Amino acid sequence: MKRSLATGVLLFMSVAAASAQTTSAVQTRNNVVYAVHDGVSLNGDLYLPMSAGPHPAMLFIHGGGFRGGSKAGYANTWGPYLAARGYVVFAIDYRLATPDKTMWPEALLDCKAALQYLRGNAAMLGVAPDRIGVGGDSAGASLAALMGVTQDGRFFTHKYPKDTYASASTKVKVEVPIYGVHDMMAWQRFTAATSNAGPGPLELFFGGAPDEAPARYLAASPLSYIRESAKSLGELAMPNEATHTAWFLAWGMIDHVVPPDGQSVVFAQALRDAGATVTAVPVPGVDHFWFTASALTGKQGVPDCKDAPPPARIVCSGATPNDFIAQPLLDFLAHNL
């Protein structure tokens, strides 16, 4: 009884402290505290349908090379868009790497805590606890995919036992990684060959180059987990919940930041080789940085877009990349979540 009362008070305080905004179809609660890790308060923005639940839910994780970015990118895109269509959306921030501090595996553990917050508060938030998916863009897609291939695996559970919802499951029903990095060593080689002097994003994130921290690069690569589950391995194949999870992947076909041929395309095939259900939507003529930067206008057709300086990132004359994937994504969620 005491624990139930304390839990209710914590949720009330976190929601009351968050700013709230309501439109005709969506209620928004900004800066909801979902956990406190190592003295750092971790926040997320909730986008809630106005209709009665329980609703399926999506947790979204922003990109930014593990050292930048913000949940704010979902405020004018997928947060309100999906909430208006009956999905609870929780867009989160997590701890980022700095020149003085690595953030592996802390960033992943933060994201798992956000999922536990959603599941632990399912009744109060109108969430169906067995219908929660995870998605993200770029680095956020990498963390999302890691949540899909690790789920309740013992290596990344119970690391913060004092979290209010530490006992909640981190299983996911669907995965939506958009132009993510799935092979960390391959991307580090790519960025090292094209970057200027100084440590790259993965060297900051892991605390060194692959020869200095090989286990971290391997453990943070979703591809390494799913390849162990390939059906061609026969009796040696390792069981993985990711093979029972539905996956939606999308990427720009001319992505110069995370080239799809070495990342999303390879990962999608590895998922299929392991028996997972995969929906893949390559977006023609599009580079990186569009999932949280391009509008959802309802226009149809192949995107005709140009790169633009931040914060715009991309400018389109007709349909946007998000327009291009919107209906396939809605169909995927309706069928699988």
Side-chain angles (χ1 to χ4, degrees), residues 4 37 53 61 64 66 86 144 174 191 201 253 257 263 273 277-278 319 323:
S4 298
H37 285 175
I61 309 166
F66 304 104
V174 303
T191 56
M253 294 178 67
V257 178
Q263 297 293 339
D273 291 344
T277 300
V278 179
D323 288 330

Side-chain angles (χ1 to χ4, degrees), residues 232-249:
S232 60
L233 294 176
E235 295 181 354
L236 296 177
M238 298 293 292
N240 193 308
E241 285 295 324
T243 62
H244 305 296
T245 302
W247 293 75
F248 181 98
L249 285 80

Side-chain angles (χ1 to χ4, degrees), residues 16 19 22 26 57 66 78 111 159 172 178 195 209 218 234 265 267 276 279 289 308 317-318:
S19 59
T22 301
V26 176
F66 304 104
W78 297 101
C111 297
K159 302 301 183 183
V172 297
I178 308 299
S195 65
L218 185 65
V265 173
F267 186 58
T279 299
F289 304 118
S317 60

Side-chain angles (χ1 to χ4, degrees), residues 6-92:
T7 299
V9 170
L10 174 63
L11 176 61
F12 174 81
M13 290 177 64
S14 67
V15 171
S19 59
Q21 181 179 355
T22 301
T23 66
S24 59
V26 176
Q27 181 184 15
T28 303
R29 300 176 187 172
N30 294 320
N31 298 316
V32 175
V33 177
Y34 65 82
V36 178
H37 285 175
D38 304 318
V40 178
S41 294
L42 303 169
N43 302 318
D45 296 339
L46 278 164
Y47 303 88
L48 304 168
M50 295 300 291
S51 57
H55 301 284
M58 284 295 301
L59 172 71
F60 277 114
I61 309 166
H62 70 78
F66 304 104
R67 57 183 178 179
S70 166
K71 58 185 171 57
Y74 287 94
N76 297 314
T77 53
W78 297 101
Y81 181 86
L82 289 177
R85 289 157 178 79
Y87 297 89
V88 171
V89 175
F90 194 31
I92 64 165

